[in-house]
Amino acid sequence: MKKKIALVTESIQSGQVYKEWLDEFFGELIEVEEYSLEKGDYVRIPDADLYIVGASSTQAYDQVIALIQPDKNIVVPALTFSKEQVSKLKVLPGGRRAMLVNLSANMAIETIAELNRLGVTQLDLVPVYPGIGQLPDTELAISPGEGRYVPDKAKQVIELGPRTFTSGTLAEIALKLGFSWFIKEKVYRDYVESLADPGGSLVTLWSQSMRMENYLEILMGMMDTGILGVDMEDRIFAVNSVAQDILSLKQKDCIGRSLTWAAPQLCRQISPEERKRKISKLIKLAETPISIATAPIDWEGKPVGCFIMLQRFTEEEDRQQQFRLQLYRRGHHSKYVFDDIICSCPSMQRAKNIAFKMALTDSSILLTGESGTGKELFAHSIHNASRRSAMPFVALNCAALPENLLESELFGYGEGAFTGAKKGGKIGLFEYAHRGTLFLDEIEGMSKNLQVKLLRVLQEKEIMRIGDNRVIAIDVRIIAASNENILERVKEGTFRKDLYYRLNTLPIEIPPLREREEDVFLISGSIIKRLGADFQLSDGARQVFQNYSWDGNVRELSNILEYLCFLDKPLIGVEDLPAYMLTENRTARGDEEDGDDGRAALRQAAAGREETFEAILRSLGQVEEGGLGRKALRQRLAEQGICAGEQEIRGVLHKLHCLGLISVSRGRGGSRLTRKGRELTFRSGDEGDLVSGTGLRK
């Protein structure tokens, strides 16, 4: 609603000028009605929010004031000149006499006094007004917008234009209209700057009285939370830009207005009683969830209003997540994309395409494959291609931590949950990964107790910190990875079947490097470029690379190339390669010369321990998927009546690995037959006797 201003001036012309100024400053916020002593229409002044009375005589002022109710806001404007107006006079030479022409004697004298105060003292100014008798002996006339009264005898006329409101008058008008924001606006500051005298004492006084309010406003402007200040009469006295955006308000429209008028939806959801105490709750404004909190304000023990804090719920969630990550300080984020997965073989391309499609969903993913095949690379890429890419990517190796430590890392803990617990508790990885992705590598290393808890997280989408009773809702996508055949672990009873099927919603199997012969040199080129190296492989070295089994997969390939990089040779020959690569290749060549495809080398390696070699090959051959660790092999050998210690088994496995018959995975992957080992073991074609083709016992 517009504020009504009744403007009373001595002349019609002055009223029109004042109205133009007011419209320029306050625009559509006000409605101005003009009245003048000259017309005599001031006797019918209506009710208004503010009365501006510009009368030069006490008698005229008293006549107008008598028509206005005592409790109404009244401003008697003080007038001054701008820097531009004064500069027109200061350039005139001193000692000259000039007529100062105005509407009345009082106004002419008042104008001369103002000019003298502003430093125009070099001229002899004589007041001239309608009805004056003797005109001064001068042909120079100066008029503040009243040129119609300049005598004909004046040959030189300097028209200054109407005097303007002082800074104090304009500030008083704004404050009495309830526009306290105006005196902080740029338009007001620019106006004060344009005056010949900005009113130093007034500006200083105002600055001191408003300093704390300015500090508050600066603080409100810096915050990303909406802030609305309401007094005890339900009137809004402060609002920052965020609150204006949330409530679709404009500051100049709502300051001084009631909360009921400015934000009826909000007013209906916060009762007057709730504004007298601290509350925090979630409401809906225009179908948008908004988190609100109230903070009552007391002044010298008396309630004077309250602040209402507003924030869109999604923005608050984002901010809380950023705080979590700042506390974590490990900078977990995804580093790779699908373009970083270099391949040309069909099986790897297929796995890559499936992973890209799966990235578009929110379902759990299980990545399987030998150690070093790039499961973590796939996990990073899936996260970066998903709708969660802007949120955290948190990775954890489940086999690297004991059960208790792994649980506290995943779920966090409350203060005092156990001896040595950090003061204030600790946020877990599930919370850090909220709205993002949690990558659990070597998931088979998780205890059954934790498997149960992880299953609940997947089902209920909520967690509870250790030693706490507060349920925390989370939104996390799980990507799990394993070096082993999880289904085999399920059959053995070491991995929960229900968790397996929860994780295995979208399975991806990553083929080993030995089954991707066409990718070896493609990946090698990329790694050499990344290392900043400049070397090539000789034909012989390339042949060794091609024949090598790559049991460590891409990780092993990367390590070998890094080793070759430090040799600082432009051409890498066979003699420069690591010894264990040459051993495997020499064995392969010797087998071909013997014509028995490695049987002679196997017999030589097994000399004196044929029974142990045979039992280990038989045990590994009976496992269709996955591998066996040393403990499992020792148990299987014992079942066959063979007593062998772990050290002996380790030695046999090493020799079989050097012969290229088995692969040994890092971590818990165990050992398994290679393609060459399986071909040699099943050479007879009789799978009932798994080692009949080895020729270990003739």
Side-chain angles (χ1 to χ4, degrees), residues 421-488:
K422 191 194 303 183
K423 186 176 181 181
K426 179 183 175 183
I427 297 174
L429 296 185
F430 278 115
E431 289 179 73
Y432 285 122
H434 179 59
R435 301 179 68 189
T437 302
L438 179 60
F439 174 52
L440 299 176
D441 199 6
E442 295 197 57
I443 189 73
E444 72 277 3
M446 184 177 285
S447 69
K448 277 208 166 184
N449 176 46
L450 282 182
Q451 290 176 30
V452 173
K453 292 193 172 186
L454 177 58
L455 180 63
R456 176 173 176 79
V457 173
L458 291 171
Q459 290 174 337
E460 306 299 332
K461 305 293 183 184
E462 59 188 29
I463 64 163
M464 190 182 294
R465 294 181 189 172
I466 300 172
D468 201 351
N469 57 6
R470 183 165 53 99
V471 174
I472 302 170
I474 59 160
D475 173 18
V476 176
R477 182 190 198 167
I478 301 294
I479 299 179
S482 175
N483 298 328
E484 298 186 13
N485 184 339
I486 296 291
L487 189 56
E488 188 67 29

Side-chain angles (χ1 to χ4, degrees), residues 139 157 243 261 275 325 362 422 436 453 482 580 585 590 624 649 678 685:
E139 294 182 347
V157 179
W261 178 88
R275 293 176 223 163
L325 293 178
D362 271 342
K422 191 194 303 183
K453 292 193 172 186
S482 175
Y580 62 85
N585 277 271
E624 295 181 4
I649 293 173
R678 191 164 289 277

Side-chain angles (χ1 to χ4, degrees), residues 395-428:
L396 179 68
N397 190 305
C398 299
L401 299 172
E403 178 182 349
N404 292 341
L405 184 55
L406 179 60
E407 183 178 6
S408 67
E409 281 290 309
L410 285 172
F411 295 90
Y413 54 79
E415 185 171 352
F418 49 82
T419 303
K422 191 194 303 183
K423 186 176 181 181
K426 179 183 175 183
I427 297 174

